[in-house]
Amino acid sequence: MVSVTKDTSELEQFYNFMAGTFPNEFTKTDFLKNYSPVTLRDFMVEKLEFYILHYGIVCFSMQLTNYPLWANYADNHSGLCLQFNIEKDIRLFRGGDLRPIEYVSEPNRFTFNPHPNWDTLTKLFFQKTLDWNYEREIRLVKVFTGRHYFHKKALEKVILGYRCQPEFINKVKEIVKANYPETHLFKMMEPKEFNKISLIPM
């Protein structure tokens, strides 16, 4: 969740900071005439929502045998993993910005720019601290609003965790059979060795 401060002293401080950034008196006077600390906050809230709603992020991993991911994002092996072949859906995967996450020791601080270039923006989406490097994450960023659908042939495998309950397994089977005839369904066997998994077809 992202929010903008309502603290009057912080807003006043930011307002004064903004007033001191203009290159000439004309633009500064125009700013002071049209904005107050409160209306400046309203503007930030409006543009923040616009900014967020016009970008979508999908997160993937390059490592199927990543046990922490199964624990954190697949309900401790009770959920499932979707495996995609990006070459079978060029429109979706190449129609956005798809790249690995860059893991850094400290988050970078970026100077605000009302008209940033795309390369600057991507640094906001494709950096995480080193604490997360075990995820080996790839992100797809899309700049259009609304839902984005993947081609059915791009979904190559659905892999069920070894703790999946029979009712959940049967429901997934029905969905895959009815909607993804070329997708292979597997279930993970309970791991016996670290970072090594065995799959059985369903």
Side-chain angles (χ1 to χ4, degrees):
M1 185 177 186
V2 181
S3 61
V4 178
T5 182
K6 294 182 179 179
D7 185 281
T8 54
S9 62
E10 291 182 353
L11 289 171
E12 188 77 32
Q13 183 179 6
F14 181 70
Y15 178 78
N16 291 333
F17 167 77
M18 288 296 297
T21 62
F22 293 96
N24 55 61
E25 285 300 316
F26 176 80
T27 53
K28 179 179 179 179
T29 301
D30 186 65
F31 170 78
L32 294 174
K33 178 182 177 181
N34 289 286
Y35 289 98
S36 68
V38 174
T39 57
L40 180 60
R41 181 188 183 277
D42 293 339
F43 176 81
M44 289 189 292
V45 170
E46 178 187 350
K47 293 305 178 183
L48 179 64
E49 182 179 4
F50 175 86
Y51 179 82
I52 293 174
L53 292 179
H54 280 73
Y55 288 89
I57 299 176
V58 186
C59 304
F60 305 93
S61 176
M62 295 182 282
Q63 188 176 9
L64 177 62
T65 58
N66 195 318
Y67 294 156
L69 290 185
W70 278 95
N72 295 333
Y73 302 118
D75 196 17
N76 198 22
H77 297 270
S78 297
L80 54 78
C81 170
L82 305 178
Q83 189 175 78
F84 291 91
N85 183 336
I86 63 176
E87 299 302 327
K88 293 184 178 180
D89 195 342
I90 302 299
R91 177 193 57 80
L92 178 67
F93 291 101
R94 302 302 188 194
D97 197 341
L98 179 69
R99 68 173 84 171
I101 288 293
E102 177 189 5
Y103 297 100
V104 295
S105 57
E106 294 290 338
N108 289 327
R109 180 175 296 178
F110 300 99
T111 302
F112 174 76
N113 185 334
H115 302 287
N117 60 48
W118 175 246
D119 190 56
T120 300
L121 283 176
T122 57
K123 293 179 181 179
L124 300 174
F125 297 123
F126 294 101
Q127 283 190 352
K128 294 174 76 170
T129 60
L130 289 170
D131 298 331
W132 299 94
N133 66 354
Y134 69 89
E135 292 186 342
R136 297 189 62 197
E137 183 181 342
I138 296 178
R139 281 185 180 175
L140 172 64
V141 175
K142 306 287 284 187
V143 296
F144 301 106
T145 57
R147 294 183 178 182
H148 294 266
Y149 297 91
F150 60 84
H151 197 288
K152 291 184 177 183
K153 290 184 178 181
L155 181 59
E156 290 204 330
K157 294 185 181 73
V158 174
I159 303 167
L160 297 158
Y162 69 88
R163 288 181 173 155
C164 285
Q165 297 300 307
E167 182 180 353
F168 179 70
I169 293 174
N170 291 334
K171 186 175 182 179
V172 173
K173 278 184 175 180
E174 292 174 3
I175 293 173
V176 172
K177 183 178 180 181
N179 299 282
Y180 304 95
E182 297 185 34
T183 299
H184 301 286
L185 181 62
F186 293 89
K187 184 176 184 230
M188 180 193 297
M189 300 289 290
E190 184 172 358
K192 302 299 182 183
E193 298 180 46
F194 183 72
N195 276 348
K196 185 177 181 180
I197 65 172
S198 298
L199 304 178
I200 56 172
M202 301 293 291

mmCIF file of all heavy atoms in Angstrom, residues 24-57:
data_model
loop_
_atom_site.group_PDB
_atom_site.id
_atom_site.type_symbol
_atom_site.label_atom_id
_atom_site.label_comp_id
_atom_site.label_asym_id
_atom_site.label_seq_id
_atom_site.Cartn_x
_atom_site.Cartn_y
_atom_site.Cartn_z
ATOM 1 N N ASN A 24 13.508 29.719 -12.559
ATOM 2 C CA ASN A 24 13.358 31.175 -12.671
ATOM 3 C C ASN A 24 12.172 31.631 -11.834
ATOM 4 O O ASN A 24 11.353 30.828 -11.377
ATOM 5 C CB ASN A 24 13.202 31.600 -14.140
ATOM 6 C CG ASN A 24 12.052 30.872 -14.818
ATOM 7 O OD1 ASN A 24 10.894 30.989 -14.399
ATOM 8 N ND2 ASN A 24 12.374 30.111 -15.863
ATOM 9 N N GLU A 25 12.069 32.940 -11.644
ATOM 10 C CA GLU A 25 11.026 33.507 -10.795
ATOM 11 C C GLU A 25 9.627 33.338 -11.394
ATOM 12 O O GLU A 25 8.642 33.244 -10.671
ATOM 13 C CB GLU A 25 11.313 34.994 -10.544
ATOM 14 C CG GLU A 25 12.440 35.235 -9.559
ATOM 15 C CD GLU A 25 12.157 34.632 -8.196
ATOM 16 O OE1 GLU A 25 11.006 34.785 -7.706
ATOM 17 O OE2 GLU A 25 13.058 33.991 -7.631
ATOM 18 N N PHE A 26 9.544 33.321 -12.706
ATOM 19 C CA PHE A 26 8.233 33.198 -13.360
ATOM 20 C C PHE A 26 7.571 31.868 -12.995
ATOM 21 O O PHE A 26 6.412 31.829 -12.581
ATOM 22 C CB PHE A 26 8.389 33.323 -14.882
ATOM 23 C CG PHE A 26 7.096 33.119 -15.621
ATOM 24 C CD1 PHE A 26 6.163 34.143 -15.707
ATOM 25 C CD2 PHE A 26 6.807 31.898 -16.217
ATOM 26 C CE1 PHE A 26 4.956 33.954 -16.378
ATOM 27 C CE2 PHE A 26 5.611 31.694 -16.885
ATOM 28 C CZ PHE A 26 4.676 32.728 -16.964
ATOM 29 N N THR A 27 8.320 30.767 -13.179
ATOM 30 C CA THR A 27 7.748 29.453 -12.872
ATOM 31 C C THR A 27 7.524 29.281 -11.375
ATOM 32 O O THR A 27 6.559 28.644 -10.952
ATOM 33 C CB THR A 27 8.664 28.331 -13.395
ATOM 34 O OG1 THR A 27 9.993 28.532 -12.895
ATOM 35 C CG2 THR A 27 8.683 28.303 -14.916
ATOM 36 N N LYS A 28 8.404 29.872 -10.568
ATOM 37 C CA LYS A 28 8.222 29.793 -9.126
ATOM 38 C C LYS A 28 6.966 30.534 -8.690
ATOM 39 O O LYS A 28 6.165 30.029 -7.893
ATOM 40 C CB LYS A 28 9.444 30.369 -8.407
ATOM 41 C CG LYS A 28 9.319 30.341 -6.894
ATOM 42 C CD LYS A 28 10.575 30.892 -6.226
ATOM 43 C CE LYS A 28 10.429 30.872 -4.712
ATOM 44 N NZ LYS A 28 11.648 31.377 -4.027
ATOM 45 N N THR A 29 6.759 31.724 -9.243
ATOM 46 C CA THR A 29 5.577 32.515 -8.912
ATOM 47 C C THR A 29 4.299 31.795 -9.340
ATOM 48 O O THR A 29 3.291 31.796 -8.625
ATOM 49 C CB THR A 29 5.651 33.901 -9.584
ATOM 50 O OG1 THR A 29 6.830 34.572 -9.139
ATOM 51 C CG2 THR A 29 4.425 34.734 -9.248
ATOM 52 N N ASP A 30 4.341 31.158 -10.501
ATOM 53 C CA ASP A 30 3.187 30.414 -11.002
ATOM 54 C C ASP A 30 2.860 29.245 -10.066
ATOM 55 O O ASP A 30 1.685 28.969 -9.787
ATOM 56 C CB ASP A 30 3.471 29.903 -12.414
ATOM 57 C CG ASP A 30 2.255 29.240 -13.037
ATOM 58 O OD1 ASP A 30 1.245 29.953 -13.261
ATOM 59 O OD2 ASP A 30 2.306 28.020 -13.273
ATOM 60 N N PHE A 31 3.888 28.570 -9.600
ATOM 61 C CA PHE A 31 3.700 27.464 -8.659
ATOM 62 C C PHE A 31 3.070 27.950 -7.360
ATOM 63 O O PHE A 31 2.097 27.370 -6.856
ATOM 64 C CB PHE A 31 5.046 26.782 -8.381
ATOM 65 C CG PHE A 31 5.005 25.783 -7.262
ATOM 66 C CD1 PHE A 31 4.472 24.515 -7.464
ATOM 67 C CD2 PHE A 31 5.501 26.105 -6.005
ATOM 68 C CE1 PHE A 31 4.429 23.596 -6.427
ATOM 69 C CE2 PHE A 31 5.471 25.189 -4.970
ATOM 70 C CZ PHE A 31 4.923 23.935 -5.178
ATOM 71 N N LEU A 32 3.609 29.024 -6.801
ATOM 72 C CA LEU A 32 3.114 29.553 -5.531
ATOM 73 C C LEU A 32 1.675 30.053 -5.661
ATOM 74 O O LEU A 32 0.890 29.980 -4.709
ATOM 75 C CB LEU A 32 4.014 30.680 -5.039
ATOM 76 C CG LEU A 32 5.444 30.265 -4.657
ATOM 77 C CD1 LEU A 32 6.277 31.502 -4.331
ATOM 78 C CD2 LEU A 32 5.435 29.302 -3.473
ATOM 79 N N LYS A 33 1.331 30.554 -6.840
ATOM 80 C CA LYS A 33 -0.012 31.062 -7.076
ATOM 81 C C LYS A 33 -1.035 29.941 -7.173
ATOM 82 O O LYS A 33 -2.183 30.085 -6.713
ATOM 83 C CB LYS A 33 -0.018 31.887 -8.373
ATOM 84 C CG LYS A 33 -1.392 32.425 -8.755
ATOM 85 C CD LYS A 33 -1.314 33.190 -10.071
ATOM 86 C CE LYS A 33 -2.695 33.660 -10.497
ATOM 87 N NZ LYS A 33 -2.638 34.396 -11.803
ATOM 88 N N ASN A 34 -0.650 28.820 -7.758
ATOM 89 C CA ASN A 34 -1.605 27.750 -8.063
ATOM 90 C C ASN A 34 -1.633 26.604 -7.048
ATOM 91 O O ASN A 34 -2.561 25.793 -7.073
ATOM 92 C CB ASN A 34 -1.315 27.171 -9.451
ATOM 93 C CG ASN A 34 -1.672 28.135 -10.557
ATOM 94 O OD1 ASN A 34 -2.838 28.347 -10.860
ATOM 95 N ND2 ASN A 34 -0.653 28.749 -11.162
ATOM 96 N N TYR A 35 -0.628 26.557 -6.192
ATOM 97 C CA TYR A 35 -0.575 25.443 -5.243
ATOM 98 C C TYR A 35 -0.330 25.943 -3.829
ATOM 99 O O TYR A 35 0.372 26.930 -3.605
ATOM 100 C CB TYR A 35 0.545 24.457 -5.615
ATOM 101 C CG TYR A 35 0.258 23.655 -6.860
ATOM 102 C CD1 TYR A 35 0.795 24.041 -8.089
ATOM 103 C CD2 TYR A 35 -0.548 22.524 -6.815
ATOM 104 C CE1 TYR A 35 0.534 23.317 -9.235
ATOM 105 C CE2 TYR A 35 -0.822 21.796 -7.958
ATOM 106 C CZ TYR A 35 -0.275 22.197 -9.171
ATOM 107 O OH TYR A 35 -0.546 21.482 -10.296
ATOM 108 N N SER A 36 -0.929 25.193 -2.891
ATOM 109 C CA SER A 36 -0.635 25.322 -1.466
ATOM 110 C C SER A 36 -0.128 23.959 -1.015
ATOM 111 O O SER A 36 -0.190 22.989 -1.788
ATOM 112 C CB SER A 36 -1.904 25.697 -0.698
ATOM 113 O OG SER A 36 -2.831 24.615 -0.713
ATOM 114 N N PRO A 37 0.374 23.830 0.195
ATOM 115 C CA PRO A 37 0.798 22.503 0.657
ATOM 116 C C PRO A 37 -0.309 21.452 0.544
ATOM 117 O O PRO A 37 -0.049 20.300 0.191
ATOM 118 C CB PRO A 37 1.205 22.748 2.108
ATOM 119 C CG PRO A 37 1.677 24.169 2.123
ATOM 120 C CD PRO A 37 0.762 24.884 1.161
ATOM 121 N N VAL A 38 -1.546 21.851 0.803
ATOM 122 C CA VAL A 38 -2.667 20.899 0.747
ATOM 123 C C VAL A 38 -2.991 20.513 -0.686
ATOM 124 O O VAL A 38 -3.159 19.331 -1.004
ATOM 125 C CB VAL A 38 -3.918 21.501 1.431
ATOM 126 C CG1 VAL A 38 -5.119 20.579 1.240
ATOM 127 C CG2 VAL A 38 -3.661 21.711 2.917
ATOM 128 N N THR A 39 -3.090 21.516 -1.578
ATOM 129 C CA THR A 39 -3.418 21.186 -2.976
ATOM 130 C C THR A 39 -2.259 20.463 -3.661
ATOM 131 O O THR A 39 -2.481 19.673 -4.581
ATOM 132 C CB THR A 39 -3.782 22.451 -3.763
ATOM 133 O OG1 THR A 39 -2.693 23.397 -3.689
ATOM 134 C CG2 THR A 39 -5.044 23.092 -3.202
ATOM 135 N N LEU A 40 -1.039 20.717 -3.225
ATOM 136 C CA LEU A 40 0.100 19.978 -3.763
ATOM 137 C C LEU A 40 -0.003 18.516 -3.373
ATOM 138 O O LEU A 40 0.284 17.623 -4.180
ATOM 139 C CB LEU A 40 1.420 20.561 -3.260
ATOM 140 C CG LEU A 40 2.697 19.867 -3.755
ATOM 141 C CD1 LEU A 40 2.785 19.919 -5.273
ATOM 142 C CD2 LEU A 40 3.932 20.499 -3.125
ATOM 143 N N ARG A 41 -0.433 18.242 -2.149
ATOM 144 C CA ARG A 41 -0.637 16.863 -1.719
ATOM 145 C C ARG A 41 -1.730 16.196 -2.561
ATOM 146 O O ARG A 41 -1.592 15.052 -2.988
ATOM 147 C CB ARG A 41 -1.024 16.794 -0.245
ATOM 148 C CG ARG A 41 -1.219 15.365 0.230
ATOM 149 C CD ARG A 41 -1.779 15.260 1.633
ATOM 150 N NE ARG A 41 -1.867 13.848 2.006
ATOM 151 C CZ ARG A 41 -2.876 13.063 1.676
ATOM 152 N NH1 ARG A 41 -3.893 13.534 0.963
ATOM 153 N NH2 ARG A 41 -2.864 11.785 2.036
ATOM 154 N N ASP A 42 -2.823 16.925 -2.806
ATOM 155 C CA ASP A 42 -3.906 16.378 -3.639
ATOM 156 C C ASP A 42 -3.387 16.013 -5.022
ATOM 157 O O ASP A 42 -3.754 14.979 -5.590
ATOM 158 C CB ASP A 42 -5.039 17.400 -3.767
ATOM 159 C CG ASP A 42 -5.754 17.644 -2.441
ATOM 160 O OD1 ASP A 42 -5.664 16.771 -1.555
ATOM 161 O OD2 ASP A 42 -6.392 18.710 -2.309
ATOM 162 N N PHE A 43 -2.543 16.866 -5.560
ATOM 163 C CA PHE A 43 -1.944 16.599 -6.875
ATOM 164 C C PHE A 43 -1.089 15.331 -6.832
ATOM 165 O O PHE A 43 -1.155 14.493 -7.734
ATOM 166 C CB PHE A 43 -1.100 17.800 -7.304
ATOM 167 C CG PHE A 43 -0.354 17.592 -8.592
ATOM 168 C CD1 PHE A 43 -0.993 17.750 -9.809
ATOM 169 C CD2 PHE A 43 0.997 17.237 -8.592
ATOM 170 C CE1 PHE A 43 -0.310 17.564 -11.005
ATOM 171 C CE2 PHE A 43 1.678 17.045 -9.778
ATOM 172 C CZ PHE A 43 1.026 17.207 -10.983
ATOM 173 N N MET A 44 -0.296 15.173 -5.772
ATOM 174 C CA MET A 44 0.559 13.986 -5.644
ATOM 175 C C MET A 44 -0.273 12.721 -5.522
ATOM 176 O O MET A 44 0.047 11.695 -6.120
ATOM 177 C CB MET A 44 1.497 14.131 -4.437
ATOM 178 C CG MET A 44 2.594 15.157 -4.624
ATOM 179 S SD MET A 44 3.835 15.106 -3.297
ATOM 180 C CE MET A 44 2.858 15.681 -1.896
ATOM 181 N N VAL A 45 -1.347 12.778 -4.741
ATOM 182 C CA VAL A 45 -2.221 11.615 -4.585
ATOM 183 C C VAL A 45 -2.825 11.221 -5.925
ATOM 184 O O VAL A 45 -2.850 10.046 -6.301
ATOM 185 C CB VAL A 45 -3.334 11.904 -3.558
ATOM 186 C CG1 VAL A 45 -4.379 10.802 -3.572
ATOM 187 C CG2 VAL A 45 -2.749 12.059 -2.165
ATOM 188 N N GLU A 46 -3.305 12.224 -6.664
ATOM 189 C CA GLU A 46 -3.910 11.968 -7.965
ATOM 190 C C GLU A 46 -2.917 11.346 -8.932
ATOM 191 O O GLU A 46 -3.220 10.353 -9.610
ATOM 192 C CB GLU A 46 -4.447 13.272 -8.545
ATOM 193 C CG GLU A 46 -5.055 13.129 -9.932
ATOM 194 C CD GLU A 46 -5.417 14.463 -10.556
ATOM 195 O OE1 GLU A 46 -5.363 15.482 -9.834
ATOM 196 O OE2 GLU A 46 -5.728 14.488 -11.759
ATOM 197 N N LYS A 47 -1.718 11.879 -9.004
ATOM 198 C CA LYS A 47 -0.730 11.386 -9.955
ATOM 199 C C LYS A 47 -0.135 10.060 -9.506
ATOM 200 O O LYS A 47 0.228 9.231 -10.337
ATOM 201 C CB LYS A 47 0.380 12.424 -10.142
ATOM 202 C CG LYS A 47 -0.096 13.703 -10.818
ATOM 203 C CD LYS A 47 -0.770 13.405 -12.150
ATOM 204 C CE LYS A 47 -1.302 14.658 -12.809
ATOM 205 N NZ LYS A 47 -2.033 14.357 -14.077
ATOM 206 N N LEU A 48 -0.047 9.843 -8.196
ATOM 207 C CA LEU A 48 0.477 8.571 -7.702
ATOM 208 C C LEU A 48 -0.450 7.442 -8.103
ATOM 209 O O LEU A 48 -0.012 6.391 -8.581
ATOM 210 C CB LEU A 48 0.630 8.635 -6.181
ATOM 211 C CG LEU A 48 1.153 7.365 -5.499
ATOM 212 C CD1 LEU A 48 2.573 7.062 -5.967
ATOM 213 C CD2 LEU A 48 1.121 7.539 -3.979
ATOM 214 N N GLU A 49 -1.744 7.648 -7.926
ATOM 215 C CA GLU A 49 -2.714 6.621 -8.312
ATOM 216 C C GLU A 49 -2.668 6.377 -9.809
ATOM 217 O O GLU A 49 -2.695 5.238 -10.272
ATOM 218 C CB GLU A 49 -4.112 7.043 -7.879
ATOM 219 C CG GLU A 49 -5.179 6.008 -8.187
ATOM 220 C CD GLU A 49 -6.561 6.426 -7.718
ATOM 221 O OE1 GLU A 49 -6.700 7.565 -7.227
ATOM 222 O OE2 GLU A 49 -7.496 5.621 -7.848
ATOM 223 N N PHE A 50 -2.602 7.456 -10.588
ATOM 224 C CA PHE A 50 -2.514 7.332 -12.042
ATOM 225 C C PHE A 50 -1.282 6.526 -12.435
ATOM 226 O O PHE A 50 -1.338 5.639 -13.287
ATOM 227 C CB PHE A 50 -2.456 8.729 -12.659
ATOM 228 C CG PHE A 50 -2.249 8.728 -14.155
ATOM 229 C CD1 PHE A 50 -3.317 8.612 -15.015
ATOM 230 C CD2 PHE A 50 -0.967 8.851 -14.692
ATOM 231 C CE1 PHE A 50 -3.130 8.617 -16.391
ATOM 232 C CE2 PHE A 50 -0.768 8.853 -16.069
ATOM 233 C CZ PHE A 50 -1.863 8.740 -16.910
ATOM 234 N N TYR A 51 -0.163 6.836 -11.802
ATOM 235 C CA TYR A 51 1.100 6.157 -12.110
ATOM 236 C C TYR A 51 1.004 4.666 -11.801
ATOM 237 O O TYR A 51 1.350 3.814 -12.624
ATOM 238 C CB TYR A 51 2.214 6.804 -11.293
ATOM 239 C CG TYR A 51 3.575 6.184 -11.502
ATOM 240 C CD1 TYR A 51 4.349 6.543 -12.590
ATOM 241 C CD2 TYR A 51 4.074 5.257 -10.599
ATOM 242 C CE1 TYR A 51 5.606 5.984 -12.794
ATOM 243 C CE2 TYR A 51 5.325 4.693 -10.783
ATOM 244 C CZ TYR A 51 6.082 5.059 -11.870
ATOM 245 O OH TYR A 51 7.315 4.501 -12.056
ATOM 246 N N ILE A 52 0.511 4.350 -10.596
ATOM 247 C CA ILE A 52 0.450 2.949 -10.179
ATOM 248 C C ILE A 52 -0.497 2.151 -11.057
ATOM 249 O O ILE A 52 -0.187 1.025 -11.474
ATOM 250 C CB ILE A 52 0.034 2.848 -8.705
ATOM 251 C CG1 ILE A 52 1.131 3.422 -7.803
ATOM 252 C CG2 ILE A 52 -0.267 1.407 -8.314
ATOM 253 C CD1 ILE A 52 0.746 3.502 -6.349
ATOM 254 N N LEU A 53 -1.659 2.719 -11.363
ATOM 255 C CA LEU A 53 -2.672 1.992 -12.118
ATOM 256 C C LEU A 53 -2.307 1.789 -13.579
ATOM 257 O O LEU A 53 -2.953 1.006 -14.274
ATOM 258 C CB LEU A 53 -4.012 2.725 -12.022
ATOM 259 C CG LEU A 53 -4.667 2.727 -10.642
ATOM 260 C CD1 LEU A 53 -5.978 3.508 -10.678
ATOM 261 C CD2 LEU A 53 -4.908 1.310 -10.139
ATOM 262 N N HIS A 54 -1.283 2.470 -14.050
ATOM 263 C CA HIS A 54 -0.886 2.319 -15.446
ATOM 264 C C HIS A 54 0.330 1.427 -15.625
ATOM 265 O O HIS A 54 0.902 1.351 -16.708
ATOM 266 C CB HIS A 54 -0.646 3.702 -16.081
ATOM 267 C CG HIS A 54 -1.927 4.360 -16.482
ATOM 268 N ND1 HIS A 54 -2.801 4.891 -15.566
ATOM 269 C CD2 HIS A 54 -2.507 4.548 -17.701
ATOM 270 C CE1 HIS A 54 -3.852 5.388 -16.205
ATOM 271 N NE2 HIS A 54 -3.696 5.203 -17.487
ATOM 272 N N TYR A 55 0.733 0.751 -14.565
ATOM 273 C CA TYR A 55 1.812 -0.220 -14.685
ATOM 274 C C TYR A 55 1.384 -1.511 -13.994
ATOM 275 O O TYR A 55 0.794 -1.489 -12.913
ATOM 276 C CB TYR A 55 3.103 0.294 -14.036
ATOM 277 C CG TYR A 55 3.764 1.390 -14.824
ATOM 278 C CD1 TYR A 55 3.437 2.729 -14.605
ATOM 279 C CD2 TYR A 55 4.699 1.101 -15.816
ATOM 280 C CE1 TYR A 55 4.024 3.741 -15.339
ATOM 281 C CE2 TYR A 55 5.294 2.111 -16.553
ATOM 282 C CZ TYR A 55 4.947 3.422 -16.311
ATOM 283 O OH TYR A 55 5.534 4.421 -17.047
ATOM 284 N N GLY A 56 1.663 -2.606 -14.651
ATOM 285 C CA GLY A 56 1.397 -3.912 -14.063
ATOM 286 C C GLY A 56 2.674 -4.725 -14.009
ATOM 287 O O GLY A 56 3.519 -4.634 -14.907
ATOM 288 N N ILE A 57 2.841 -5.499 -12.957
ATOM 289 C CA ILE A 57 4.052 -6.301 -12.775
ATOM 290 C C ILE A 57 3.671 -7.744 -12.533
ATOM 291 O O ILE A 57 2.805 -8.042 -11.705
ATOM 292 C CB ILE A 57 4.892 -5.783 -11.593
ATOM 293 C CG1 ILE A 57 5.346 -4.346 -11.833
ATOM 294 C CG2 ILE A 57 6.112 -6.677 -11.363
ATOM 295 C CD1 ILE A 57 6.092 -3.734 -10.668
#
